Amino acid sequence: LTCIGATAMELGAMTAFLYFMQAREILYELIEDVTGARITLSFGRVGGVRADLPDDFAPKCRKINKRIRELLKECDSLLTKNRIFYDRVRGTGVISKEDALSYSIMGPWLRGTGIAHDLRKAEPYHMYGRVQFDVPTGEHGDNYDRYLVRMEDMRQSLRIIEQCLEKM
């Protein structure tokens, strides 16, 4: 949320930045309800988590997921097909598959080059081995592909959360 929001703002898309920051704030509030902190969580432990979830967590999380999906959809419509955004990020910051691997790049930067490596799939931990999700990849290794990968990562994260809620 922060990466794309800041990128959008730097390219003049202030509305998208505000939507992404709104989504981030909503998520921070949920995290704070669970952990007592907004950023430094220390919630996961060997063998599980530090404490049970609050009683109202599942319905609140579902409501938040719905709102986050709406904000992502709105930002998608503001940025993805926006000619100015596209022209400013397509073809910039290109990194090849070979360079990404030689520099040990991970995450959206690596997947933006077309390499479908996600540690949650390669070496599942927590619940990742029990949920279904796609690993988005790009084709060109540029900023636009990394943007698309990050947007789809967020959609897949919501998909993972919804599956976990169903399995609880």
Side-chain angles (χ1 to χ4, degrees), residues 44-111:
R45 300 280 193 260
V46 173
V49 293
R50 184 180 60 155
D52 288 337
L53 294 170
D55 291 337
D56 64 342
F57 177 80
K60 190 172 187 178
C61 189
R62 284 185 178 96
K63 182 179 177 184
I64 286 171
N65 275 8
K66 182 179 179 197
R67 180 65 183 137
I68 299 297
R69 278 192 192 284
E70 291 167 358
L71 289 168
L72 289 177
K73 185 176 181 182
E74 187 67 32
C75 288
D76 187 37
S77 70
L78 288 170
L79 296 175
T80 304
K81 302 293 184 195
N82 181 301
R83 192 73 199 165
I84 295 169
F85 180 79
Y86 180 86
D87 286 346
R88 289 182 178 174
V89 295
R90 174 54 89 194
T92 63
V94 177
I95 187 161
S96 69
K97 291 179 183 182
E98 297 77 22
D99 284 345
L101 290 172
S102 72
Y103 295 140
S104 300
I105 290 175
M106 299 295 288
W109 273 76
L110 178 66
R111 294 193 309 276

Side-chain angles (χ1 to χ4, degrees), residues 1-5 7 20 79-80 85-86 88-97 99-100 103 105-115 136-155:
L1 293 169
T2 303
C3 180
I4 297 174
T7 300
F20 280 120
L79 296 175
T80 304
F85 180 79
Y86 180 86
R88 289 182 178 174
V89 295
R90 174 54 89 194
T92 63
V94 177
I95 187 161
S96 69
K97 291 179 183 182
D99 284 345
Y103 295 140
I105 290 175
M106 299 295 288
W109 273 76
L110 178 66
R111 294 193 309 276
T113 69
I115 298 172
T137 60
E139 298 176 25
H140 311 286
D142 62 7
N143 283 316
Y144 189 69
D145 277 352
R146 288 188 288 276
Y147 158 75
L148 294 174
V149 165
R150 284 185 171 103
M151 287 295 285
E152 187 57 29
D153 272 346
M154 289 187 280
R155 290 184 200 96

